[in-house]
Amino acid sequence: VASGVFFLTQLPPPINCQRISLLLADGDRFYCAQASANSGKLDRVLAAVKLVQNWPPDNALYREAQRKLKEWSEVILQMAQQKIHQGNQSEAVTIASQIPVSSPLYSEAQAAIATWKQEWKKGEEIVSKFNVALKVQKWQQASQLIAALSKSRREYWSITRVNAMLKQLFTEKEAWQQLQEARDLAKSNTLEEIRK
């Protein structure tokens, strides 16, 4: 009797979330998923999502798992947004693509990915046209392309890339002006003016 009472009053061993097996109860798996997601690190949040993403609707913890899945998907989407703001579209798409179909935010993530790809393509087309305009010294057209890019909703395009393009335009114009002045001086054949 004493050993039975002792056994019943002892706390169960702590859950080892480092080794999650299929035999672990759903409540314990859910606990481990929450603990993992609370770290705030992308790989840990993704691990939490994987633990609960395929739970069937008849699971007792399904509603709570879906609520948490939505919350964790929001965290993942925010991390992807940060990558977009940093100008890293491919990494943003990779991160957002890991939101599972079973997540309530799946369609939102897919829409965001499509928008990012479209914005990126448009931005790259403008930069390409800008580079062509510089090569043929169409300064006005290059300025118009900069103005078009500055209307982008993404800071990467509207600020970072626009600033770089403005510097490039200024440098190119100045270099062409100096080249033209040198050609004009060479045509004059005046040695004293060339020495100046």
Side-chain angles (χ1 to χ4, degrees):
V1 171
S3 63
V5 170
F6 177 76
F7 179 75
L8 290 174
T9 59
Q10 294 298 312
L11 293 173
I15 302 166
N16 182 0
C17 291
Q18 301 301 320
R19 292 185 176 204
I20 298 174
S21 73
L22 295 174
L23 300 175
L24 197 60
D26 287 342
D28 293 341
R29 295 172 86 193
F30 189 67
Y31 169 82
C32 290
Q34 286 182 300
S36 183
N38 287 341
S39 74
K41 295 180 181 176
L42 178 62
D43 60 333
R44 304 283 309 275
V45 175
L46 291 171
V49 166
K50 286 181 183 174
L51 280 175
V52 301
Q53 72 183 11
N54 294 322
W55 283 7
D58 62 347
N59 186 305
L61 292 170
Y62 178 77
R63 284 183 183 230
E64 184 61 19
Q66 283 295 297
R67 191 179 67 75
K68 285 297 187 178
L69 186 57
K70 180 180 180 184
E71 182 182 309
W72 300 333
S73 296
E74 286 172 354
V75 170
I76 294 168
L77 204 50
Q78 288 171 358
M79 290 179 182
Q81 288 280 3
Q82 289 174 351
K83 294 296 179 185
I84 270 293
H85 291 311
Q86 294 169 0
N88 194 338
Q89 182 248 4
S90 61
E91 197 168 337
V93 168
T94 300
I95 292 170
S97 295
Q98 296 183 63
I99 294 176
V101 175
S102 59
S103 170
L105 291 184
Y106 177 76
S107 59
E108 185 179 328
Q110 294 303 307
I113 290 169
T115 300
W116 297 338
K117 287 181 176 181
Q118 184 181 16
E119 289 173 348
W120 208 264
K121 182 179 177 188
K122 184 178 178 183
E124 286 180 338
E125 286 172 358
I126 291 173
V127 170
S128 178
K129 289 177 183 177
F130 170 80
N131 288 330
V132 170
L134 285 185
K135 286 181 183 177
V136 294
Q137 299 117 39
K138 291 187 176 181
W139 314 124
Q140 183 66 29
Q141 182 182 3
S143 295
Q144 290 170 348
L145 290 165
I146 290 172
L149 192 60
S150 70
K151 294 176 185 171
S152 174
R153 294 180 348 177
R154 301 279 170 221
E155 269 185 34
Y156 172 74
W157 293 107
S158 65
I159 296 175
T160 306
R161 290 303 296 260
V162 164
N163 287 340
M165 290 166 67
L166 284 169
K167 287 178 187 175
Q168 189 178 358
L169 175 62
F170 176 76
T171 303
E172 289 287 328
K173 276 177 84 171
E174 190 175 3
W176 277 105
Q177 287 172 347
Q178 290 174 355
L179 180 62
Q180 191 59 44
E181 287 173 10
R183 287 178 179 163
D184 291 344
L185 282 174
K187 286 180 187 176
S188 69
N189 289 329
T190 310
L191 189 57
E192 289 81 30
E193 288 186 32
I194 294 176
R195 286 183 183 167
K196 292 180 186 178

